[in-house]
């Protein structure tokens, strides 16, 4: 998955649309985001409307670099600087106490702000040009209808939200397929001990190695986060996660139902069933993650009555994948 060379004219156009309060889908290394000027209440409210997302769900502010942190957050603990030094630009979002500059329309009324500095070269260039002296930022939830599968290509965004007048966006900045395909890791640094709000490419083990202490999952009183809802990232077709041992039996039980399957090459070879679509699951976690949403989109579009996915490995580098699969199946 290679990123196309930067198209400066398209980026300049996107900056202009954003500075005028428009909505632009932007490529990031994780998934496509639905960007708006974080300082512009009207534009940010329009992203909630476009996604159909409840207004009390906070948004991530995307910034050009660590120099923007103090413009948006206060009481920044040393752990935050250490994490940022190690993982920015990249797929890590940090949650901090917010400054007054950050409007309630961004945070759903909470007193914290989530900050992320994406590494995708197009969006890096866009943010650098957009930020200005006041370190302006872009709110950007994943560019999908609320609760649906996140977009890892510009086409996913075009098919789901679309461009005006038929669709909801002012522009889609097509920077190619996303490198990682899974949303950023989220760490809460606003309440003393750092906790993990969302699993991602930066794994718990990596965070613990950098910080030198354990980073537990966020507990019940963690800030609200829609990615933490039990059912999320969901295809429209009912999806079941099935263990390797049970898979062949489950396929038999569902005889008569058109099936869309994703399983390892080995398991697929042993099946005799006819399906409407069969996808061979990548054996490597990086590729499995990068292709996960694209594969979920394909399985969902296959007009099957049921999607069956073989439960993959539960090793640490599969944590984000298992998290998303669990929510897609809920
Ligand atoms: O990789 C990503 O993070 C992508 C790309 C576009 O950057 N963005 C993304 O945004 O996944 P979204 O809105 O789909 O998911 C962000 C999650 C939501 O569950 C939101 O509720 C949570 O982060 N969140 C945002 N601000 C927060 C805050 N201050 N405290 C706790 N959770 C927050
Ligand atoms: Mg999302």
């Amino acid at each position: 998955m290679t990123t196309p060379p930067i198209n400066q004219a398209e980026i300049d156009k996107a900056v202009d649309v954003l500075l005028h309060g428009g909505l632009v889908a932007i490529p990031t290394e994780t998934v496509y985001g639905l960007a708006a000027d974080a300082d512009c209440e009207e534009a940010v409210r329009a992203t909630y409307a476009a996604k159909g997302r409840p207004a009390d769900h906070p948004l991530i502010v995307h910034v050009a670099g660590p120099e923007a942190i103090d413009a948006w957050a206060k009481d920044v603990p040393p752990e935050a600087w250490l994490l940022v030094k190690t993982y920015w630009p990249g797929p890590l979002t940090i949650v901090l106490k917010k400054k007054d500059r950050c409007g309630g329309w961004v945070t759903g009324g909470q007193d914290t702000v989530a900050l992320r500095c994406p590494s995708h070269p197009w969006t890096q260039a866009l943010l650098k040009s957009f930020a200005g002296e006041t370190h302006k930022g872009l709110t950007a939830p994943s560019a999908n209808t609320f609760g649906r599968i996140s977009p890892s290509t510009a086409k996913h965004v075009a098919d789901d939200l679309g461009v005006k007048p038929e669709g909801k966006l002012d522009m889609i900045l097509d920077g190619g397929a996303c490198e990682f395909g899974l949303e950023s890791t989220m760490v809460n640094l606003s309440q003393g001990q750092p906790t993990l709000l969302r699993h991602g490419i930066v794994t718990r083990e990596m965070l613990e190695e950098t910080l030198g202490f354990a980073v537990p999952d966020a507990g019940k009183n963690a800030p609200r986060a829609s990615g933490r809802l039990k059912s999320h990232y969901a295809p429209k077709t009912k999806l079941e996660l099935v263990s390797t041992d049970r898979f062949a039996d489950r396929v038999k039980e569902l005889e008569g139902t058109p099936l869309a399957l994703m399983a390892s090459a080995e398991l697929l070879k042993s099946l005799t069933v006819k399906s409407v679509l069969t996808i061979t699951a990548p054996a490597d976690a990086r590729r499995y993650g990068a292709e996960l949403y694209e594969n979920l989109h394909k399985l969902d579009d296959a007009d099957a009555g049921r999607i069956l996915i073989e439960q993959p490995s539960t090793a640490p580098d599969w944590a984000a994948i298992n998290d998303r699969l669990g929510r897609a199946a809920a």
Side-chain angles (χ1 to χ4, degrees):
M1 249 163 274
T2 47
T3 304
I6 286 188
N7 181 332
Q8 194 59 46
E10 280 288 286
I11 289 169
D12 292 345
K13 192 174 134 199
V15 169
D16 192 55
V17 171
L18 288 163
L19 286 172
H20 287 90
L23 301 185
V24 179
I26 56 167
T28 84
E29 69 280 15
T30 60
V31 298
Y32 271 76
L34 173 46
D37 178 353
D39 291 316
C40 177
E41 176 169 1
E42 211 186 315
V44 174
R45 293 216 186 275
T47 56
Y48 283 95
K51 270 183 75 82
R53 175 173 173 145
D56 62 348
H57 284 246
L59 300 174
I60 298 172
V61 177
H62 296 66
V63 294
E67 67 282 357
I69 291 178
D70 286 326
W72 292 91
K74 62 182 182 188
D75 307 335
V76 182
E79 291 84 6
W81 296 112
L82 184 56
L83 289 178
V84 159
K85 205 176 118 198
T86 314
Y87 297 108
W88 276 15
L92 176 73
T93 299
I94 56 173
V95 174
L96 298 164
K97 286 257 178 282
K98 82 171 187 76
K99 270 200 175 144
D100 288 344
R101 187 271 180 74
C102 183
W105 54 88
V106 171
T107 64
Q110 301 187 69
D111 65 353
T112 57
V113 59
L115 295 176
R116 157 157 151 73
C117 172
S119 65
H120 191 291
W122 290 47
T123 290
Q124 265 285 314
L126 184 153
L127 280 164
K128 288 227 159 68
S129 151
F130 176 80
E133 281 172 14
T134 57
H135 303 292
K136 285 170 74 64
L138 295 171
T139 51
S142 50
N144 54 290
T145 302
F146 181 66
R148 293 260 170 256
I149 305 168
S150 294
S152 50
T153 65
K155 183 172 185 301
H156 293 159
V157 183
D159 290 347
D160 180 358
L161 298 174
V163 177
K164 289 171 186 168
E166 298 83 20
K168 296 171 172 162
L169 310 180
D170 294 294
M171 179 180 173
I172 298 173
L173 186 63
D174 186 352
C178 301
E179 179 185 359
F180 297 126
L182 294 174
E183 300 85 350
S184 60
T185 304
M186 295 189 67
V187 180
N188 185 11
L189 293 154
S190 72
Q191 288 174 332
Q193 190 192 22
T195 53
L196 193 53
L197 284 165
R198 183 168 75 183
H199 291 270
I201 295 296
V202 177
T203 62
R204 187 203 307 278
E205 288 68 24
M206 289 161 73
L207 296 169
E208 293 181 341
E209 163 113 28
T210 305
L211 294 173
F213 51 77
V215 182
D217 281 329
K220 283 220 166 53
N221 53 2
R224 272 189 307 270
S226 45
R228 306 184 67 223
L229 295 177
K230 202 158 168 283
S231 158
H232 205 65
Y233 315 106
K236 294 178 197 134
T237 315
K238 192 166 155 39
L239 183 157
E240 292 180 29
L241 258 184
V242 185
S243 69
T244 311
D245 293 348
R246 278 268 306 141
F247 206 90
D249 287 343
R250 188 66 189 134
V251 166
K252 271 204 208 100
E253 286 164 16
L254 288 168
E255 209 187 316
T257 306
L259 298 177
L261 309 176
M262 181 161 85
S264 62
E266 209 187 338
L267 177 58
L268 289 175
K269 248 192 287 168
S270 70
L271 298 174
T272 49
V273 67
K274 259 204 173 154
S275 59
V276 291
L277 176 69
T278 301
I279 294 178
T280 305
D284 150 86
R286 250 311 150 76
R287 253 196 70 205
Y288 194 110
E291 293 171 16
L292 177 60
Y293 292 141
E294 170 74 19
N295 284 334
L296 287 178
H297 278 285
K298 283 187 189 150
L299 292 163
D300 201 17
D301 292 341
D303 288 323
R306 194 69 54 93
I307 298 169
L308 299 187
I309 295 182
E310 180 188 6
Q311 169 68 57
S313 162
T314 52
D317 51 338
W318 291 77
I321 292 165
N322 282 304
D323 173 75
R324 304 306 190 280
L325 280 175
R327 291 174 210 275

